[in-house]
Structures are given as structure tokens and as C-alpha cells.
Amino acid sequence: MKRIISLLAVVLVMASLFGCGNKKEVNTIDISGANVPVGVYTYYLDKVMSDPKAYSAKADDEASIKSAALAACKNYTALFSFLHNNGIAIEYRLKSEVAENTEKIWNLFSAYYEKIGVSKQDINKVMTYEAGKEQLVLSFYGEGGKKEVSEDELKQKFVELYIGFKGFECKLTKENANGETVPMTEQEKQETETQLRQYADEIDKGADIDMVYAKYCKSKGLVAAEALTVNITKENDPMYDDDFFAKMSTISHGRAAIVKTGSSIYVVQRSTIATSDEDAFAVYRTDVLNEMKMPAVEKLLSKTASGYTVTTDENALHEIYQKLSSVKNPATSESSAKPQSETKTK
């Protein structure tokens, strides 16, 4: 009886993830016997249409874009099949992140997703897929995994991927007589840079960066209420300009300098993040492991998915493509001819 109940539970979970039980969706996308929800397919179709290059698809090419979206659905199917066949469960922490991420996305973009036919449940399924990939990374390469990555390897990768620093930012702007924010004059910028370079030189010669920061705040009529904390950044961090990471990389550990980027100048002191008392490694450990091993997991899923057979209702997929196109670009006419009713590809 217990085995029957357990088997029934597994069937119900797989049904919820793949949308079994909905006849309309069963006839739309079938991947080696698994019925992929139309909303999940539409989600990936939207992603491909927004950035075809990232999915190796051709812009404005319906066949290429639909093929890339179906490839994503095949990987989606491969992930849940692999978890089920190997008895791997997604841990509670990752499930909590799924719920949190689903809420965030739905709160921000629900109107758009509802317009294109993607439900909150579809978003949850896609977020569960992402969590499932992370679970495979942990199962294979995490602590106790079959191919566990050593602490030394993780720390080495951590210092390659991330840079730590203490610092403060000075905007190269000011308020005019009307209270509007305007750029500084060139002379004011030069004077500001000279002052900040002097601060960086003081720190580089041994002055405490918090004391220098307090001095800077005082010069601006402000009070430094808290000590500076170590900031951790990586390449393409949206918090900073594109060239910030590259410029920080040229500064030796423990040294101070100014970094000019965009409309700001930063006074920074680079930290030794993996071995100092300000070690942030524990916080980023899982992220580093994902950076190192997620490509291997995605390669495994793609290899598994390559053997899957895809059966689709091409009329339905064409209608989804046309609907999404009209939402993303209302000026686009729907003049393309309808494809054949059904194709079977591998």
C-alpha cells in the first residue's frame, strides 16, 4: 500500500509539472510522451524572440525561433525526467527560492504574461526547472556529491570571479539654483578628482579608509554614520558601469586608488576576500559552484534531450507565434502562411 501511495504521489508531481490532464495541451506539444504546458512553451518563445542570438536563433525567422523554444522545452523535460529517474528531490531552500522568484516576477510582469498566455503556474514551473538544475549541481558537485569540488578549487574560482573592496562614490554632478541635478563643470571635475586622488594616496600609505571617508563626508557637510563594508562585485554586475570590474581588476590586493567610470569617481581599497577576516566566500559558495559546474549540467541535459522525439500541433504553435508577435510588435502584420497541421521531429 505504501509503495502504491508513493507511486501515485510521483505521478501527481509529474502531472503538475508537465501539465498532464489538459486535453488541449496534450495535443499541442508532446516530447517523448511528456506533455509540455503551452504556457511554458510560450514563456521560452518570448525569451527567444527577445534575444534570438542568445538561443542561436535567427531574428524574425518563425521556424528558427520556434525550434529554439522547443529545444528549451526539451531541456525542461529532460531535467524533470532525470530528477525522477534518479530519485533526486529539490531541497527546501531551493523550493523557497522558487516561490520567492515566482512572486517577484509575477508582481512585476503579470499583466504582460497574462496578455501572452503565460500563467503564474507556468512561471512557477520554469522557476522550478531552474532550481532543479541547481539541485543537480549540488547533487553531483556539492558536498558529498559523486564529483565533489574541493574547497580549494572553489576558493580559487571565487577570487577569479569576484572582487572585494571598500570604497565610496562621488557623483560628478551638482544642484543648480533651481534644485536641478546638472553635471559639474570641467574645472569642478578636475578639482574633485584631485581631492579624491589625495584621499586614495592617504589610504594607500596606511590611513584607515573609514577615517578618510569621514573626512570626505565632513567636507561635504555630511556625517559618516556607519563604517564602510566590503562590497563584492563580478563582471557585468548591474550595480556598476560596464568597465568598473575591469578597472578594479588592475588594483592589487590591499592597495587603494580612484576608479573613474560614467558620471562618478570611486575611492576604493581592494580587499583580499578569500583569506581575510572579511571573508565573503561562505555567502557566495553556492554561486561559485554554479558558475563552475552549471555548464556541465546543462550539457548533460542537452545531450539527454537530443534523443527526444517532439510531436507538435503546428497550427497551434503558429497561432501562438503570431499572437506573441502582435503583442511585442503591434505594427507587424500577420501575413505569413499557416504551416502544416502537425510535424514530428527529433
Side-chain angles (χ1 to χ4, degrees), residues 18 71 81 112 128 141 170 175 180 232 264 294 327:
F18 292 110
S81 177
Y112 174 75
T128 302
Y141 305 104
C170 177
E175 281 193 6
E180 301 169 327
I232 306 295
S264 298
M294 185 61 75
V327 171

Short mmCIF file of all heavy atoms in Angstrom, two decimals, residues 18 71 81 112 128 141 170 175 180 232 264 294 327:
data_model
loop_
_atom_site.label_atom_id
_atom_site.label_comp_id
_atom_site.label_asym_id
_atom_site.label_seq_id
_atom_site.Cartn_x
_atom_site.Cartn_y
_atom_site.Cartn_z
N PHE A 18 4.26 18.88 -15.89
CA PHE A 18 4.16 18.79 -17.35
C PHE A 18 2.77 19.09 -17.89
O PHE A 18 2.53 19.06 -19.08
CB PHE A 18 4.60 17.40 -17.83
CG PHE A 18 6.06 17.16 -17.62
CD1 PHE A 18 6.52 16.25 -16.68
CD2 PHE A 18 7.01 17.88 -18.34
CE1 PHE A 18 7.87 16.04 -16.50
CE2 PHE A 18 8.36 17.67 -18.15
CZ PHE A 18 8.79 16.75 -17.22
N ALA A 71 13.53 23.48 -28.27
CA ALA A 71 14.76 22.93 -27.70
C ALA A 71 14.82 23.22 -26.20
O ALA A 71 15.25 22.37 -25.41
CB ALA A 71 15.98 23.53 -28.41
N SER A 81 12.68 14.60 -15.92
CA SER A 81 12.82 13.16 -16.13
C SER A 81 14.05 12.64 -15.39
O SER A 81 14.01 11.58 -14.73
CB SER A 81 12.94 12.86 -17.62
OG SER A 81 13.14 11.49 -17.84
N TYR A 112 1.78 41.60 -18.50
CA TYR A 112 2.36 41.19 -19.79
C TYR A 112 2.19 39.69 -20.00
O TYR A 112 1.75 39.25 -21.08
CB TYR A 112 3.84 41.55 -19.84
CG TYR A 112 4.54 41.02 -21.07
CD1 TYR A 112 4.34 41.62 -22.31
CD2 TYR A 112 5.39 39.92 -20.99
CE1 TYR A 112 4.96 41.13 -23.45
CE2 TYR A 112 6.01 39.42 -22.12
CZ TYR A 112 5.80 40.02 -23.35
OH TYR A 112 6.42 39.53 -24.47
N THR A 128 10.95 26.34 -11.16
CA THR A 128 11.26 25.02 -10.60
C THR A 128 12.31 24.32 -11.46
O THR A 128 13.21 23.64 -10.94
CB THR A 128 9.99 24.16 -10.51
OG1 THR A 128 9.02 24.83 -9.69
CG2 THR A 128 10.29 22.80 -9.89
N TYR A 141 28.20 17.84 -7.65
CA TYR A 141 29.46 18.51 -7.36
C TYR A 141 29.55 19.16 -5.96
O TYR A 141 30.60 19.65 -5.58
CB TYR A 141 29.70 19.60 -8.41
CG TYR A 141 29.67 19.07 -9.82
CD1 TYR A 141 28.58 19.30 -10.65
CD2 TYR A 141 30.75 18.33 -10.33
CE1 TYR A 141 28.55 18.81 -11.95
CE2 TYR A 141 30.72 17.84 -11.63
CZ TYR A 141 29.61 18.08 -12.44
OH TYR A 141 29.59 17.59 -13.72
N CYS A 170 31.71 59.34 -5.43
CA CYS A 170 31.46 60.77 -5.56
C CYS A 170 30.87 61.02 -6.94
O CYS A 170 31.51 60.77 -7.96
CB CYS A 170 32.75 61.57 -5.39
SG CYS A 170 32.52 63.35 -5.62
N GLU A 175 23.76 70.40 -7.82
CA GLU A 175 22.43 71.02 -7.96
C GLU A 175 22.58 72.47 -8.39
O GLU A 175 23.41 73.20 -7.84
CB GLU A 175 21.65 70.95 -6.64
CG GLU A 175 21.03 69.59 -6.37
CD GLU A 175 20.02 69.65 -5.23
OE1 GLU A 175 19.73 70.77 -4.74
OE2 GLU A 175 19.53 68.59 -4.83
N GLU A 180 17.91 71.56 -9.66
CA GLU A 180 18.04 70.50 -10.65
C GLU A 180 19.44 69.91 -10.61
O GLU A 180 20.42 70.60 -10.33
CB GLU A 180 17.76 71.06 -12.05
CG GLU A 180 16.38 71.66 -12.21
CD GLU A 180 16.24 72.44 -13.50
OE1 GLU A 180 17.26 73.03 -13.95
OE2 GLU A 180 15.13 72.47 -14.06
N ILE A 232 31.15 43.21 -2.73
CA ILE A 232 31.58 42.13 -3.62
C ILE A 232 30.94 42.35 -4.98
O ILE A 232 29.73 42.55 -5.09
CB ILE A 232 31.16 40.75 -3.08
CG1 ILE A 232 31.65 40.54 -1.65
CG2 ILE A 232 31.69 39.64 -3.99
CD1 ILE A 232 33.15 40.49 -1.50
N SER A 264 30.76 59.14 -12.26
CA SER A 264 31.20 59.02 -10.87
C SER A 264 32.70 58.76 -10.78
O SER A 264 33.33 58.31 -11.74
CB SER A 264 30.47 57.86 -10.17
OG SER A 264 29.09 58.08 -10.12
N MET A 294 27.51 24.55 -13.61
CA MET A 294 26.23 24.61 -14.32
C MET A 294 26.38 24.28 -15.81
O MET A 294 25.52 23.58 -16.38
CB MET A 294 25.57 25.97 -14.14
CG MET A 294 24.18 26.07 -14.76
SD MET A 294 22.99 24.90 -14.03
CE MET A 294 22.67 25.71 -12.46
N VAL A 327 1.77 41.15 -29.91
CA VAL A 327 1.91 41.80 -28.60
C VAL A 327 3.23 42.54 -28.51
O VAL A 327 3.30 43.69 -28.04
CB VAL A 327 1.79 40.77 -27.45
CG1 VAL A 327 2.15 41.42 -26.11
CG2 VAL A 327 0.38 40.19 -27.40
#
